[in-house]
Structures are given as structure tokens and as C-alpha cells.
Amino acid sequence: MWDAVVVGGGLAGLIAGIRATQRGKRVLLVTEGVGTLFHFSGIFDYGDVEGLRHLPKHPYTLFDSQAITQGKHFVQEICPEYVVNDRPQSAFNVLGTVRQGDLMPRSMVLPDPQEQGVFVLLVPEGLKDFFPEIVADNMAREFPGWQVSVKRMQVDALQEWTRLGKSVTSIDYADIWRSEEGYRALAHEIDEIKRQFQDAGRSQGKIVVVLPSLVREYFDASRTKFYRNEFSLPVLEMSSFVPSPHGRYFAEYLKHIFTDLGGELMIGARAVSLKGELNSEGHAKICQELVVRSMGKLMRLKGKKFILATGGLLGGGIKVGMARRSIRESVFDLPLFIPQEWSVPQFLAPQPYAQIGVETDQFMRPLDPVSGQVVWDNVHVVGRMLAHWDPWTQRCGGGVSVTSGYAAAELI
């Protein structure tokens, strides 16, 4: 029997699995697909934590400030390149404008805008959906004391792609930079930039190379160290766009950490049924086993605790049929909070459907919204499946996922 079965392989589920295995628990993580973590930009947003904790039923009301801080430092512990500060930090997004974030890699953190220097936007040829002229103009507006120049780079490995007009994604380029050949080509290009500025007599100011498609070794799931030597100029990464190399490599990185600690991973498994009984008080049920279908076979997974981290509406954890009444949670058939109106007509306004999810008690056990009673005594709900929050307008998606996943692992 497992100490915990984690259902869902997104950010909250992986954080829960890693922390529980780190604590010496026997953990199985079951996931049907790759999860929405592949859309991760590389930056964690926590939002206005203290303000959100005063909103009725927001997930942050389940945790004190210490629990939220512990989650932040746990991310830094398992990924040391992430920087934890008391105040938000700033990074370039893929349009060249500045966005704030609460937890990001040090290679994304922008320099002081009061300084003076030069940004060299290094643009790989053929990069899909990237518009260097727009990006450079935005960077110049955001950093008026800095000069911005654009340097285009051809990559031998993809010359045939660009000749045929085939688009190259940031994931394609990130793969190339992580090869020995790609690293050498990139290092050579950066050396050339440094030499050109020195020859022009502009070596006194700060020169920073900005690259839209680099993911440094802190997301290296294979543990190879192609960036063992620093480049000759500082390199600043931009946050990712979809398809996201940061999301892909971060998901793989977390999975490797989980399995290295002794956790077991089952990919491509879909929950089909479960078995439970009433607890000793005769109220909440206790889940005894979860039945999943994997590679055409049914498997019975027995666990002491179960963590539900299937990602809500976007992650597929909540299924919506043609009729509104058919909306349901797909694993434990948990009762859902559903607002009376799902949407509002105002463009970019907060949408009520974002609040759909499972209400819980302070231990993240699912509640019946009508009776207020715990439904499953040994099930903990984390991440996007929690009700009463909006990751987009409240900008707290990473914070809620990390905090709830970490806190659930502490209950195993």
C-alpha cells in the first residue's frame, strides 16, 4: 500500500509528490497526460497574498504566511537558481515589455533600469511568432537609459528548415542550445558580439545579450552540464511563450527529482473507478483504492492518502458536457462549487467560471457545499482544482499550486 497516491502530474501534484518522498513516504504519482505545466513561462506568480487572504474562501485563507513562505523556499531548495526576494522582481516577456514575478531564475532578473548599458537582442533565424523589431522598441521604452540593438543568428543545424520556410519553435532552439554543437555556436556568436563592441570602442558600458529561446542548466533533467563555462557576456533569458521550453524542461526536471528520491511515476493512466467506506464516525468516506486504466489494463492502487491535483477545467480534472448540469469532477466525483453565472460580457473582466472547483476544509479535504461536511476523509485537493480563485486576474497560479501541494505533502 502506498502512503500517498497523487493523481495529476502538474505543478501542484509534482510539488506534493517530491515533498512527500523527501519526507520518506512511499508515493505513486499517476497522470493521464503531460499536464498544463508545459505552458509554464518560467516565472511563479503569487499575487497580492495578504490581500487575497482576506477574500472569502480564497485558497490562501487555508494557509498562514509561514506555510506560503515555506513553499517558496522549497522551490528554491529543489531548483537553486530560483531567486526568492521580499518584493516582486522583473523580467522581459516575449514582446519585450517588463512583467513582474515573485519567483524566477536569476538569469531572467532584469538589471537596474537606472544603470546604463546596451541590450543586444540575439534573434535565431526562423523563430516562430517572434517579432524582433517590436520587441526591441518595447525594450527601449522600458529601459530609456539603455541602447537596444538586434543581432540575427543563423544556426547551421536548422538552415534547411529556414530555407524551406518552416517555422522553428523556441523548444526547437532550446534543444539545440543544450547540445555541445549548439552551445559552441551560441558561445561563438556571443564572443563575436563582445569583439564588435570592443572594436567600436563601446566596451566601457554594460553589455547584456537577451535571448528568447534559452533554457539554462537549472532545468536540465539529464544532469548534463553544457553550460559549465559562462559565456563571455551576461545572457538574459526572456520568459517563454507557448509552446514553452521552460515548461517542458521544468516538468521533466521535477519528474526526475521525484523519481530520484524514490517516487514512482505512472504516465498515461486514467482513473475509472474507486472503492471506499465510511469512517469510524459514519460521516466522511475513506478511499481504499483507485482503479486506473493503463495500457489497456485495469490496475488497483491502494493508498493511505490520495492527493487530487488534476488541474480543474483546463487540466481536464473537471468535465463539462453539453448540458450545464453535466459538469463534474472526473476522479472522485466530488461536489463542485459552480457560480450561478459562468461568464460576463466585459472583455478581460474576471470570469466566474474560473471560480469553479472543490471547496475544502483547512486540511484541504473536500466538502459538500450544501452541508459543509467532509466528503472523503483521506483525500486532499490541491492546485487548480480548488474553488474560489482566478489564476489570471489574481495572478496567483504558481503560488496557490506550490503552497497547496507542499502543504498537502506535510499531511501525509
Side-chain angles (χ1 to χ4, degrees):
M1 177 180 289
W2 306 95
D3 292 315
V5 176
V6 181
V7 186
L11 178 58
L14 285 165
I15 290 293
I18 291 170
R19 178 56 183 160
T21 54
Q22 192 183 66
R23 295 181 61 235
K25 305 298 181 180
R26 188 165 179 255
V27 182
L28 172 67
L29 193 150
V30 180
T31 179
E32 188 173 355
V34 298
T36 56
L37 188 54
F38 269 47
H39 297 163
F40 176 55
S41 69
I43 298 174
F44 291 89
D45 292 312
Y46 274 69
D48 177 11
V49 174
E50 290 307 313
L52 295 174
R53 286 182 64 200
H54 288 85
L55 295 180
K57 298 185 178 181
H58 191 280
Y60 278 154
T61 63
L62 302 173
F63 316 107
D64 58 24
S65 58
Q66 181 181 2
I68 296 171
T69 301
Q70 283 176 332
K72 276 187 181 182
H73 286 286
F74 182 67
V75 172
Q76 189 180 41
E77 176 188 331
I78 61 178
C79 193
E81 283 298 309
Y82 268 82
V83 180
V84 177
N85 281 338
D86 294 333
R87 61 185 63 184
Q89 303 163 93
S90 297
F92 281 133
N93 65 21
V94 291
L95 290 177
T97 57
V98 171
R99 62 151 297 180
Q100 288 191 324
D102 298 282
L103 194 58
M104 66 180 68
R106 65 182 75 250
S107 63
M108 282 189 182
V109 178
L110 291 174
D112 187 343
Q114 301 304 317
E115 297 181 26
Q116 290 191 344
V118 179
F119 287 126
V120 180
L121 180 62
L122 184 56
V123 183
E125 287 293 337
L127 182 59
K128 182 180 180 181
D129 297 328
F130 189 76
F131 309 99
E133 291 77 15
I134 295 175
V135 173
D137 287 345
N138 287 336
M139 290 169 60
R141 277 193 291 269
E142 297 280 7
F143 278 74
W146 288 62
Q147 299 178 39
V148 180
S149 65
V150 177
K151 175 75 165 62
R152 296 183 180 272
M153 175 185 180
Q154 288 190 337
V155 180
D156 291 342
L158 293 177
Q159 278 192 359
E160 184 65 14
W161 285 31
T162 54
R163 187 184 71 81
L164 296 173
K166 183 177 180 179
S167 296
V168 185
T169 69
S170 55
I171 286 182
D172 296 322
Y173 273 116
D175 284 340
I176 290 174
W177 305 145
R178 297 164 82 83
S179 68
E180 288 281 8
E181 179 184 359
Y183 169 78
R184 286 195 297 268
L186 185 56
H188 174 74
E189 197 74 23
I190 293 172
D191 288 343
E192 283 296 301
I193 292 172
K194 182 178 181 179
R195 182 188 60 77
Q196 290 170 9
F197 274 87
Q198 287 176 334
D199 291 347
R202 297 168 62 186
S203 59
Q204 299 301 316
K206 190 172 185 178
I207 306 169
V208 178
V209 175
V210 182
L211 199 64
S213 58
L214 178 68
V215 180
R216 303 295 289 269
E217 67 181 24
Y218 48 81
F219 286 161
D220 197 343
S222 66
R223 306 300 197 271
T224 52
K225 299 294 182 182
F226 293 127
Y227 295 123
R228 55 189 175 273
N229 297 318
E230 283 298 320
F231 297 114
S232 58
L233 290 173
V235 175
L236 187 68
E237 295 183 61
M238 307 177 81
S239 65
S240 297
F241 49 5
V242 178
S244 167
H246 281 91
R248 172 191 169 184
Y249 286 117
F250 195 50
E252 292 177 359
Y253 180 80
L254 293 182
K255 288 174 183 176
H256 274 264
I257 292 176
F258 174 66
T259 54
D260 286 351
L261 287 168
E264 295 197 36
L265 189 62
M266 181 183 294
I267 300 176
R270 180 173 60 86
V272 294
S273 64
L274 49 87
K275 178 182 177 182
E277 63 179 13
L278 291 175
N279 64 11
S280 57
E281 288 79 22
H283 300 298
K285 292 180 288 186
I286 296 177
C287 185
Q288 297 169 317
E289 67 178 31
L290 182 67
V291 180
V292 301
R293 186 181 297 279
S294 177
M295 301 181 68
K297 298 180 180 179
L298 292 179
M299 303 183 67
R300 300 180 181 276
L301 310 176
K302 297 181 181 292
K304 297 176 183 177
K305 298 267 192 169
F306 294 82
I307 296 177
L308 182 65
T310 47
L313 280 168
L314 293 183
I318 295 176
K319 304 293 186 183
V320 181
M322 294 299 292
R324 175 176 172 175
R325 61 180 176 273
S326 68
I327 185 169
R328 66 183 186 88
E329 187 275 310
S330 62
V331 178
F332 293 93
D333 198 24
L334 298 175
L336 296 170
F337 164 77
I338 303 173
Q340 290 187 351
E341 298 296 331
W342 282 37
S343 62
V344 295
Q346 290 82 6
F347 184 60
L348 296 181
Q351 297 297 328
Y353 69 79
Q355 307 281 333
I356 295 174
V358 178
E359 294 184 348
T360 72
D361 68 358
Q362 69 269 31
F363 301 110
M364 291 174 288
R365 296 179 301 179
L367 297 177
D368 183 326
V370 177
S371 67
Q373 298 295 315
V374 173
V375 181
W376 291 95
D377 192 48
N378 64 336
V379 174
H380 303 288
V381 182
V382 299
R384 192 66 194 96
M385 185 59 73
L386 293 166
H388 301 292
W389 68 292
D390 184 335
W392 302 291
T393 61
Q394 295 172 347
R395 299 183 64 88
C396 59
V400 170
S401 295
V402 169
T403 304
S404 59
Y406 184 88
E410 295 293 299
L411 297 173
I412 303 304

